[in-house]
Amino acid sequence: MSPMTLALSRRTLLKACAAGAASLSMPGLMLPARAAGVREFSLRAAPGRARLVPEPHGETPAWCYNETVPGPEIRVRQGERLRITVENGLAEETTVHWHGLRVPNAMDGVPHLNQPPIAPGGTFVYEFDAVDAGTFWYHPHQRSFEQVGRGLYGPLIVEEPEPPKVDRELVWVLDDWRLTKSAEISNDFGNGHDMSHNGRIGNTVTINGRVPDARPVRSGERIRLRLINAANARIFSLDFQGHTPTVIALDGQPVTPHAPMGGLVVLGPAMRADIILDMMGEPGSRVSVIDRFYRDLEYRLVDLAYGETAFRDTMPDWPIVLPANPLREPNVAAALRHEVIFNGGMMGGMVMAEMGGSMGEGTSRGMGGGMMRGMMGMMHGNGIWFVNGKAAEGHVLDPMLTLERDGSHVIAMTNATAWHHPIHLHGHSFRVISRNGEPTPHREWQDTVLMAPREKVEIAFVADNPGDWMFHCHILEHQAGGMMGVIRVV
Ligand code: C2O
Ligand code: CU
């Protein structure tokens, strides 16, 4: 496409989303040379049905993009421009957030903060450049705990100009559903117990919208597996037993290829990992992938079933290092430092205070049912979780931090709760530079960092994308319970 055509199509866009008052440039961000072309996509969010669980169960009424769960895979090359028309066929407002993509603020999909919500029957046109190559995903940002929980999410893949050579690439979008005996989605979204504990943990785990059958593999083949955790709350810790996964990207961003700690690929909600899997098993063998995150609740996610004949006898030694994305390197020594403390939740400071400090830490078993109900009553709705002492209500918030644009910033975060939290910042990727005071071995770029109970994590980045950005826990019940804030870049 000639530059002329591109300019024309941008003008058309300006007309199309005048309502969103879109600022289309992202000054300050380094853009790779843009391959010409605008790629058009359309998504329609609407009630539908999904075959999550096999016969004899029926299909599950769900909310779908384009009638499927997950929604359609959006796949572009780095440097291409995307134009995505979203139509709302739901009976309530929605938006779409492009998780992990560094887009201009007006395209980020947070209702009221970045755009008016899309009314039932309405449409909104999103347009932005695929600045970074990597594994991303999209989901609503309006009542996400229910909209995502009912099936609204999909993968968004940005290919490198020259991807590393592999025999096969697979995308696994993981989700966790709370289904009733008749395979319907349980309606208890946003209940006080889920909100104040570890979120809506379900009872049915799917890969790409289905309880998985065995996956066929061949001895000697090299697979690039893109993992996306689209669950509201479940954290995965995947053991590929007998295989040695090599992590090459986290949250879409390249990382020095390495074996994950303990051999386990850990993914909090919203997190992604690209791994290279060399299929070293014997022809005809079967290996289970086990999720080991929750103690004593390990289960078999899926089997890898080797074909009877080998594909190749020795593993290839093709390079696997991904080319860097155009991220600006923070100057940590000169960075401004900001402290953020997360509080609240069951067994957290707030509950302890309400109970007069009488409850032992680490267990709620001693409480009588009446007391528990009383407490749940007090805690229902917002105000369960706190970021620097404030529990958020809705998306329009006074900024908790204002960062000077193009400056380097370190956010020193403390998880003062008894729970894990995957903390997500919009509009930027950040380096995770330390955990509990120890430098991280890979200084990985992430957009969502999983914090263990009581853990301290430091992240560093250049605040190069102006606007008001959400900063929140991606356990969607924690987010709804107040665990979010706004970071302003001016
Ligand atoms: Cu994936 Cu604020 O979200
Ligand atoms: Cu959380």
Side-chain angles (χ1 to χ4, degrees):
M1 187 183 283
S2 72
M4 182 67 178
T5 332
L6 193 65
L8 263 179
S9 51
R10 283 211 196 171
R11 241 189 321 269
T12 318
L13 167 87
L14 280 171
K15 240 188 291 159
C17 53
S23 148
L24 292 172
S25 62
M26 187 164 30
L29 271 194
M30 299 188 299
L31 294 173
R34 179 183 302 145
V38 177
R39 303 279 311 276
E40 301 265 1
F41 300 91
S42 53
L43 293 175
R44 181 168 196 273
R49 300 182 78 77
R51 162 122 332 269
L52 303 179
V53 285
E55 309 270 2
H57 296 287
E59 288 186 330
T60 299
W63 293 356
C64 313
Y65 287 119
N66 300 1
E67 296 175 14
T68 63
V69 176
E73 178 182 281
I74 295 178
R75 186 178 277 263
V76 299
R77 309 288 304 270
Q78 186 174 22
E80 282 183 324
R81 193 168 180 80
L82 294 86
R83 183 185 299 142
I84 307 160
T85 304
V86 175
E87 192 191 333
N88 183 7
L90 303 170
E92 63 181 60
E93 295 175 336
T94 194
T95 62
V96 180
H97 170 58
W98 317 97
H99 185 115
L101 287 132
R102 297 186 296 140
V103 303
N105 193 259
M107 298 289 111
D108 200 44
V110 177
H112 306 293
L113 189 71
N114 308 132
Q115 65 168 98
I118 312 171
T123 58
F124 189 89
V125 181
Y126 295 89
E127 182 166 334
F128 50 84
D129 293 317
V131 174
D132 298 324
T135 303
F136 304 101
W137 65 298
Y138 58 90
H139 64 78
H141 221 283
Q142 173 76 348
R143 298 183 65 253
S144 323
F145 63 95
E146 180 164 356
Q147 294 193 4
V148 177
R150 288 193 184 277
L152 289 171
Y153 59 81
L156 197 163
I157 309 297
V158 182
E159 293 178 344
E160 300 84 15
E162 286 173 50
K165 184 169 172 169
V166 293
D167 295 308
R168 257 196 312 159
E169 182 186 305
L170 300 174
V171 180
W172 284 7
V173 188
L174 305 174
D175 195 6
D176 171 35
W177 308 76
R178 187 178 290 169
L179 298 183
T180 64
K181 287 212 167 60
S182 51
E184 274 160 11
I185 296 172
S186 162
N187 281 319
D188 57 346
F189 286 101
N191 68 70
H193 186 275
D194 287 348
M195 279 203 183
S196 58
H197 291 73
N198 54 359
R200 183 181 171 90
I201 303 292
N203 51 21
T204 306
V205 172
T206 55
I207 297 179
N208 300 339
R210 275 209 82 142
V211 170
D213 297 326
R215 290 290 197 269
V217 297
R218 287 172 301 172
S219 187
E221 71 171 337
R222 170 169 288 183
I223 293 175
R224 176 182 186 168
L225 177 57
R226 299 179 186 258
L227 293 161
I228 301 172
N229 182 356
N232 281 35
R234 183 179 288 278
I235 304 169
F236 293 89
S237 181
L238 302 182
D239 181 349
F240 289 84
Q241 305 194 101
H243 298 85
T244 318
T246 302
V247 179
I248 57 169
L250 291 167
D251 289 355
Q253 301 294 346
V255 65
T256 308
H258 64 276
M261 235 205 297
L264 300 171
V265 181
V266 177
L267 290 170
M271 295 169 68
R272 291 87 65 213
D274 286 39
I275 63 176
I276 295 289
L277 262 188
D278 284 337
M279 305 313 300
M280 321 224 267
E282 293 293 317
S285 66
R286 211 174 163 99
V287 179
S288 299
V289 181
I290 309 288
D291 175 11
R292 302 194 183 281
F293 187 79
Y294 301 94
R295 194 177 310 160
D296 300 329
L297 292 172
E298 287 105 349
Y299 65 95
R300 184 181 58 165
L301 173 67
V302 65
D303 279 355
L304 304 173
Y306 278 88
E308 292 302 329
T309 53
F311 176 70
R312 124 170 4 96
D313 291 330
T314 47
M315 292 310 309
D317 60 352
W318 305 326
I320 56 173
V321 178
L322 295 170
N325 278 323
L327 289 155
R328 285 167 71 184
E329 190 60 49
N331 179 345
V332 174
L336 280 177
R337 215 183 139 78
H338 315 270
E339 303 274 342
V340 173
I341 300 188
F342 301 101
N343 282 106
M346 192 55 80
M347 293 168 273
M350 181 190 69
V351 177
M352 292 300 285
E354 281 175 357
M355 309 266 314
S358 63
M359 196 174 89
E361 208 170 286
T363 171
S364 57
R365 229 172 267 145
M367 266 186 293
M371 192 173 209
M372 178 69 109
R373 269 192 300 280
M375 214 162 65
M376 287 300 139
M378 267 188 285
M379 298 197 344
H380 194 79
N382 293 305
I384 298 170
W385 302 94
F386 301 83
V387 186
N388 285 355
K390 284 214 176 95
E393 269 186 75
H395 288 102
V396 184
L397 305 162
D398 289 334
M400 51 175 283
L401 293 176
T402 298
L403 306 183
E404 193 199 327
R405 173 146 157 223
D406 293 332
S408 290
H409 298 272
V410 166
I411 301 184
M413 305 190 291
T414 301
N415 176 5
T417 80
W419 306 93
H420 282 84
H421 303 287
I423 302 296
H424 173 46
L425 173 63
H426 287 211
H428 299 79
S429 288
F430 47 75
R431 277 198 189 278
V432 180
I433 58 171
S434 81
R435 287 183 181 270
N436 290 328
E438 295 290 321
T440 54
H442 305 293
R443 294 169 58 83
E444 56 275 17
W445 289 105
Q446 303 228 242
D447 54 60
T448 308
V449 59
L450 185 61
M451 297 184 76
R454 314 292 174 202
E455 195 175 27
K456 288 177 187 286
V457 173
E458 288 179 313
I459 61 173
F461 61 101
V462 176
D464 56 3
N465 201 355
D468 281 358
W469 302 103
M470 294 307 302
F471 174 70
H472 64 88
C473 179
H474 221 289
I475 289 181
L476 301 176
E477 293 71 29
H478 293 179
Q479 180 192 8
M483 203 167 187
M484 73 185 157
V486 164
I487 293 184
R488 175 169 292 169
V489 177
V490 282

